[in-house]
Amino acid sequence: MIKYSLLFFIFFMKTASAQEKYKVSEGFYNLSSFEVASGMYLLENKTFFYYASFGNVDLKIFGEYSISNHNLLSLQVNKELTKEFYFYGLNNEIQNDSIKLYYTKPYSEKAQKLFINTGKELKKFPEFSIENNIVSITLELPKTRKLKIGCENSEIDSFLNTKEMVEVQLADGVNEIKIYHNYYSDMAIKISQMLWKIEKGVLTENNAANTKKIQKKEISKKIINEVSNFIKAEKSKTSIIKEGKTYQKL
């Protein structure tokens, strides 16, 4: 009985010690530098919100974070933010055995030449023009209800990179799709690969070339609720309305 009580006590102490790290780390960390406004909120519930603003970039990243036994802080970015494309679909009763896909001109030039693998052939989207920033293509609906979408490599003319294609599983009845490129996907992935060291409310980037220490700023319950509500609202965005029609995220 004494043995089990001791084991329980040790487990309890370890759990309490681990939770204390998150409690002490909760706060705002100002990461701003020359011409870059940036910061990160860490909440005790292991949620983080990171932002950065520079040039025409307005980056907002969120997810969960963890602190190791060696006080290394790592970020697990919400998977939706790392996707290169977003797909929204609906059922168009006018179309029967075909599927129509619309692609809005992306900000990134490298993502402008899109192509689709239907399982039978590769088809390119029409090119954008000055007058038209939305292009479309109509295809035979695959029996597998799967499509693979990728970008043409602009550095090598007519090179279709079939190794870096995104697969889309069409929900039953979906035969019309809106496609949008996520300009921030690469940045979100880079954020997820960064490591910091955090101890007693002091954050240091885990990089020998950067030893700048950032002391946390305490945040109020109001700020905590605002951060939590923003993340909750972003996660709840599972549809868009275009031309009076509601498209569901695939």
Side-chain angles (χ1 to χ4, degrees):
M1 186 67 179
I2 296 175
K3 179 180 179 182
Y4 288 117
S5 297
L6 181 60
L7 289 174
F8 176 79
F9 177 75
I10 293 173
F11 174 77
F12 175 79
M13 291 301 294
K14 284 185 176 180
T15 302
S17 177
Q19 186 59 38
E20 182 67 17
K21 287 185 178 182
Y22 295 96
K23 184 177 181 179
V24 172
S25 299
E26 181 175 77
F28 171 70
Y29 299 82
N30 190 345
L31 306 174
S32 297
S33 58
F34 181 65
E35 295 186 343
V36 178
S38 179
M40 182 163 59
Y41 291 89
L42 298 180
L43 305 188
E44 185 180 349
N45 65 3
K46 303 181 183 181
T47 297
F48 81 88
F49 172 68
Y50 171 97
Y51 72 87
S53 180
F54 52 94
N56 58 2
V57 171
D58 185 20
L59 183 64
K60 294 180 176 68
I61 303 294
F62 57 84
E64 297 183 351
Y65 72 95
S66 60
I67 302 174
S68 73
N69 293 333
H70 299 290
N71 298 314
L72 292 179
L73 181 145
S74 57
L75 307 177
Q76 294 83 51
V77 175
N78 183 279
K79 289 184 178 181
E80 285 295 309
L81 303 180
T82 63
K83 291 181 178 179
E84 187 173 6
F85 296 98
Y86 293 136
F87 304 92
Y88 296 85
L90 60 71
N91 175 257
N92 188 328
E93 295 179 358
I94 298 176
Q95 297 168 192
N96 294 318
D97 298 326
S98 64
I99 182 168
K100 190 165 187 176
L101 302 100
Y102 298 85
Y103 185 41
T104 299
K105 187 175 182 178
Y107 183 80
S108 176
E109 186 176 349
K110 70 176 185 178
Q112 290 185 10
K113 294 182 178 180
L114 210 63
F115 66 95
I116 298 178
N117 184 346
T118 65
K120 292 183 178 180
E121 58 182 341
L122 296 177
K123 298 283 289 186
K124 292 183 181 181
F125 269 83
E127 293 191 6
F128 295 102
S129 64
I130 297 176
E131 298 81 16
N132 193 4
N133 67 345
I134 298 178
V135 293
S136 64
I137 187 171
T138 301
L139 304 167
E140 179 183 348
L141 189 63
K143 292 181 179 180
T144 60
R145 302 196 65 81
K146 290 182 180 180
L147 293 173
K148 291 184 178 180
I149 297 176
C151 295
E152 183 177 339
N153 191 327
S154 59
E155 297 178 357
I156 307 175
D157 293 338
S158 301
F159 177 70
L160 304 182
N161 191 347
T162 57
K163 292 182 179 180
E164 296 182 5
M165 302 186 76
V166 178
E167 184 174 277
V168 185
Q169 178 66 58
L170 304 177
D172 290 342
V174 170
N175 56 8
E176 183 173 312
I177 295 178
K178 299 280 189 183
I179 305 174
Y180 300 92
H181 179 253
N182 178 15
Y183 176 63
Y184 296 115
S185 61
D186 288 345
M187 299 181 204
I189 291 172
K190 287 180 180 178
I191 293 299
S192 70
Q193 295 170 342
M194 296 180 69
L195 280 175
W196 284 273
K197 189 168 186 179
I198 188 165
E199 192 170 8
K200 297 179 180 179
V202 177
L203 184 68
T204 308
E205 189 172 345
N206 194 35
N207 183 345
N210 187 354
T211 57
K212 181 181 178 181
K213 296 183 180 298
I214 302 163
Q215 178 68 52
K216 78 168 184 180
K217 293 183 179 179
E218 298 291 345
I219 52 179
S220 65
K221 287 185 177 180
K222 180 182 177 182
I223 295 297
I224 293 172
N225 288 335
E226 287 178 352
V227 172
S228 297
N229 289 337
F230 172 82
I231 294 173
K232 184 178 179 180
E234 289 296 305
K235 287 182 176 180
S236 68
K237 293 179 179 178
T238 57
S239 64
I240 58 171
I241 299 176
K242 296 291 182 181
E243 299 87 36
K245 297 184 288 187
T246 300
Y247 294 76
Q248 300 295 328
K249 182 178 280 189
L250 301 179

